[in-house]
């Protein structure tokens, strides 16, 4: 479902190694397009703002840390309103679809797309596709109005429903064509955006004037290129409650251990940031950093050491950590994600068994899994502002005739990013990076990389780790 073709990004070279990875535009495949003055010119809220419209040559660099002789490198088109638009307001029939798991901020994005279309561009016809991709061809739509959406940002979840799977490109594009929809806003993670990419390509093959814009949604923050995904700040903030509860429980018992399992199927960003924010965590386990339980330098030895020193400890584990230690489960969910074993419960039981059989130290272990509590809450103030700007950027892009793009924050600036850059790989914690070193210095946990260390499978995680942390004792791993 993730083909990459000539329909994808356009690379525009410039001087001194400048490269613009541009997003597709209607003018790439439709001739004799009519344009219209942007309605924002006469909008009293925006007409007083000088230079509100984005210059066509504005772009944002992907990398901002450079040397004096470094080529200018890859840039993305800056998001924002253009002087001319490619839709008359009365001709627009837009739709919004949310796919995948829940995430704080979904309702805020929906609200702001509806409000931006209405208040900025005078678009009054917006449909909500009920229940994810399959809603295009198997369910009724919901008429979204500013009045209906006015307070939805105060609620968690998504008012138009969500689901995994259900992607049938032909049925979806047939439905878009039959209904006369000409703007499609798709909110979802990497799997959803792969589907959005295929929808865009099919629409382009048919020569339809339909803008397809994506808004990246992943609570795990595992989408590449962008600074962060919406809902991530809220998730880290809410995770503090669970960690604080675990710390109180551990501190109130003899040899108390508080264990918290957080989201992070392939990427440990929530666990890492929540640990750094808390400062009560003694050990953080993430998918990118392998570990082992028994023997010298293992988790059991470290737990025993911390309990003897402090009388209690707190462990945070991401849901994808340590999966290589568990029996393989060859099953997938409807989105094609591998179903994971519950590593938190497994480690908790192994810790109990170890201290019951191998040592004379009695322990009290409390296990907390706040996953669904975190997913279901409304977004915090920071994420609300971010969701608003992502939604407005997507609307400006669609009205300006761009398609096959994702709106996203790159180095603090809102941009339009080609789909293929967003879906090409997953964003992961780099354990040779200073951020992971900061975590290790905060928790004082060992690297868990010693004589028994399992192979590191993520490229780029070897070679400099010992210089960064002073802890790597296992350099003969497979890259």
């Amino acid at each position: 479902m993730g083909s990459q073709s000539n329909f994808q990004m356009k690379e525009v070279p410039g001087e001194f190694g400048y490269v613009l990875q541009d997003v597709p535009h209607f003018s790439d495949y439709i001739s004799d397009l009519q344009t219209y003055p942007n309605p924002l010119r006469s909008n009293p809220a925006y007409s007083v703002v000088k230079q509100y419209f984005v210059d066509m040559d504005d772009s944002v660099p992907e990398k901002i840390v450079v040397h004096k002789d470094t080529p200018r490198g890859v840039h993305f088109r800056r998001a924002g309103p253009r002087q001319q638009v490619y839709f008359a307001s009365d001709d627009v029939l837009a739709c919004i679809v949310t796919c995948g798991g829940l995430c704080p901020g979904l309702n805020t994005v929906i609200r702001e797309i509806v409000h931006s279309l209405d208040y900025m561009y005078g678009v009054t016809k917006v449909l909500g596709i009920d229940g994810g991709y399959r809603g295009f061809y198997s369910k009724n739509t919901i008429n979204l109005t500013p009045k209906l959406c006015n307070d939805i940002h105060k609620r968690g979840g998504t008012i138009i429903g969500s689901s995994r799977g259900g992607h049938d490109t032909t049925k979806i594009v047939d439905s878009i064509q039959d209904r006369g929809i000409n703007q499609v806003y798709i909110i979802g993670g990497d799997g959803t955006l792969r589907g959005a990419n295929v929808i865009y390509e099919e629409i382009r093959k048919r020569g339809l004037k339909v803008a397809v814009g994506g808004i990246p949604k992943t609570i795990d923050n595992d989408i590449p290129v962008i600074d962060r995904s919406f809902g991530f700040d809220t998730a880290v903030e809410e995770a503090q409650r669970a960690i604080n509860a675990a710390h109180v429980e551990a501190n109130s018992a003899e040899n108390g251990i508080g264990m918290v399992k957080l989201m992070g199927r392939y990427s440990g960003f929530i666990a890492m940031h929540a640990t750094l924010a808390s400062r009560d965590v003694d050990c953080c386990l993430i998918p990118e950093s392998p570990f082992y339980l028994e023997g010298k330098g293992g988790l059991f030895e470290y737990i025993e050491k911390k309990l003897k020193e402090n009388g209690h400890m707190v462990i945070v584990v991401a849901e994808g950590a340590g999966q290589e230690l568990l029996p393989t489960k060859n099953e997938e969910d409807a989105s094609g994600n591998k179903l994971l074993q519950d590593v938190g419960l497994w480690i908790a039981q192994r810790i109990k068994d170890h201290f019951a059989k191998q040592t004379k130290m009695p322990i009290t272990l409390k296990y907390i899994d706040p996953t669904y509590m975190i997913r279901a809450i409304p977004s915090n103030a920071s994420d609300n502002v971010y969701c608003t700007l992502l939604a407005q950027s997507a609307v400006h892009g669609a009205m300006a005739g761009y398609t096959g793009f994702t709106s996203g924050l790159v180095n603090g600036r809102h941009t339009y990013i080609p789909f293929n850059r967003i879906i090409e790989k997953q964003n992961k914690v780099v354990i040779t990076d200073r951020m992971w070193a900061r975590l290790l210095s905060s928790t004082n946990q060992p690297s868990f990389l010693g004589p028994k260390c399992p192979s590191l499978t993520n490229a780029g995680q070897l070679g400099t780790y010992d210089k960064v942390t002073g802890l790597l004792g296992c350099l003969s791993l497979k890259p």
Side-chain angles (χ1 to χ4, degrees):
M1 199 169 65
S3 65
Q4 294 183 11
S5 69
N6 293 331
F7 294 167
Q8 285 301 328
M9 67 182 183
K10 304 170 287 184
E11 289 206 341
V12 182
E15 293 184 350
F16 308 112
Y18 173 95
V19 177
L20 174 65
Q21 291 189 348
D22 204 1
V23 296
H25 191 270
F26 286 152
S27 58
D28 297 338
Y29 65 98
I30 300 175
S31 57
D32 302 322
L33 287 164
Q34 185 175 355
T35 60
Y36 309 87
N38 194 318
L40 289 175
R41 293 184 183 186
S42 55
N43 187 312
Y46 295 94
S47 58
V48 297
V49 181
K50 293 182 179 180
Q51 296 181 336
Y52 183 71
F53 295 106
V54 173
D55 190 285
M56 291 301 292
D57 288 333
D58 281 359
S59 61
V60 177
E62 181 178 16
K63 297 185 184 301
I64 56 173
V65 179
V66 297
H67 296 171
K68 61 181 181 180
D69 298 325
T70 302
R72 293 179 63 191
V74 171
H75 289 62
F76 300 108
R77 187 169 290 281
R78 185 183 176 193
R82 270 54 180 176
Q83 293 275 2
Q84 299 292 316
V85 297
Y86 284 76
F87 292 97
S89 300
D90 293 339
D91 296 338
V92 174
L93 175 57
C95 76
I96 305 170
V97 62
T98 55
C99 303
L102 296 184
C103 175
L106 280 169
N107 277 334
T108 306
V109 175
I110 294 168
R111 179 191 189 277
E112 295 309 322
I113 291 174
V114 173
H115 277 249
S116 298
L117 283 167
D118 189 296
Y119 295 147
M120 291 184 180
Y121 289 100
V123 173
T124 58
K125 294 174 289 186
V126 185
L127 301 176
I129 304 301
D130 187 6
Y133 276 138
R134 60 173 50 90
F136 275 103
Y137 54 84
S138 66
K139 293 189 177 183
N140 295 326
T141 57
I142 303 166
N143 289 318
L144 299 176
T145 63
K147 183 177 180 180
L148 175 68
C149 297
N150 195 50
D151 292 325
I152 64 173
H153 62 294
K154 299 174 183 177
R155 291 150 47 188
T158 163
I159 64 162
I160 56 177
S162 183
S163 68
R164 297 186 186 277
H167 190 280
D168 186 314
T169 306
T170 301
K171 286 184 179 179
I172 291 171
V173 178
D174 284 348
S175 175
I176 291 170
Q177 194 169 1
D178 293 344
R179 295 174 192 267
I181 294 169
N182 50 20
Q183 290 186 12
V184 181
Y185 297 95
I186 300 173
I187 309 167
D190 56 348
T192 299
L193 295 178
R194 285 190 185 92
N197 180 45
V198 178
I199 290 169
Y200 150 69
E201 291 194 344
E202 179 61 25
I203 284 171
R204 181 161 173 171
K205 287 176 185 175
R206 299 188 189 188
L208 304 177
K209 186 187 173 187
V210 178
V212 180
I215 296 174
K217 175 230 64 166
T218 166
I219 202 168
D220 293 348
N221 200 39
D222 60 1
I223 289 179
V225 181
I226 61 175
D227 293 355
R228 71 180 192 277
S229 50
F230 75 82
F232 175 71
D233 274 1
T234 305
V236 171
E237 185 176 300
E238 188 67 13
Q240 301 304 296
R241 298 176 185 269
I243 293 173
N244 184 56
H247 183 249
V248 170
E249 288 283 356
N251 202 22
S252 301
E254 181 184 1
N255 294 324
I257 301 173
M259 178 177 287
V260 180
K261 187 182 82 170
L262 297 175
M263 290 84 73
R265 178 182 293 272
Y266 304 114
S267 304
F269 287 102
I270 291 178
M272 179 175 72
H273 282 258
T275 294
L276 280 167
S278 168
R279 298 291 171 171
D280 286 330
V281 179
D282 299 290
C283 183
C284 177
L285 305 174
I286 63 172
E288 296 90 339
S289 182
F291 63 95
Y292 59 99
L293 303 180
E294 299 177 284
K296 186 172 178 58
L299 180 61
F300 292 157
E301 181 185 78
Y302 177 62
I303 292 173
E304 188 171 345
K305 174 175 173 286
K306 293 300 290 187
L307 291 178
K308 287 178 179 178
E309 288 177 357
N310 302 328
H312 67 276
M313 76 174 297
V314 176
I315 302 170
V316 168
V317 56
E319 62 180 319
Q323 290 294 316
E324 68 277 1
L325 303 176
L326 282 73
T328 304
K329 189 176 183 179
N330 295 318
E331 297 179 42
E332 295 181 344
D333 64 18
S335 297
N337 298 313
K338 183 179 177 181
L339 289 177
L340 303 179
Q341 302 276 44
D342 193 325
V343 69
L345 285 174
W346 180 80
I347 292 178
Q349 189 59 50
R350 290 294 306 273
I351 291 171
K352 290 177 182 177
D353 292 344
H354 173 80
F355 281 91
K357 297 174 183 177
Q358 304 296 326
T359 73
K360 296 180 180 179
M361 182 184 293
I363 65 165
T364 301
L365 190 149
K366 303 295 185 183
Y367 177 71
I368 300 173
D369 181 355
T371 298
Y372 293 104
M373 294 175 64
I374 293 174
R375 286 173 19 140
I377 64 172
S379 52
N380 64 12
S382 172
D383 272 326
N384 266 337
V385 173
Y386 187 32
C387 290
T388 298
L389 298 179
L390 285 172
Q392 290 184 1
S393 294
V395 169
H396 291 318
M399 292 298 295
Y402 294 110
T403 183
F405 71 89
T406 299
S407 66
L409 194 70
V410 177
N411 297 318
R413 295 286 184 174
H414 286 267
T415 64
Y416 298 134
I417 307 164
F419 276 144
N420 60 304
R421 285 301 313 275
I422 291 292
I423 64 178
E424 66 185 1
K425 63 179 182 180
Q426 286 182 315
N427 187 31
K428 298 194 176 202
V429 174
V430 179
I431 63 171
T432 58
D433 186 68
R434 280 193 292 260
M435 199 65 169
W436 185 244
R438 293 182 186 113
L439 179 138
L440 295 176
S441 66
S442 168
T443 62
N444 291 316
Q445 70 189 65
S447 66
F448 298 117
L449 295 176
K452 292 187 176 182
C453 55
S455 296
L456 279 174
T457 55
N458 294 320
Q461 293 188 346
L462 297 178
T464 59
Y465 190 80
D466 54 334
K467 297 177 185 176
V468 175
T469 68
L471 292 171
L472 182 58
C474 184
L475 292 170
S476 58
L477 299 172
K478 297 178 182 178

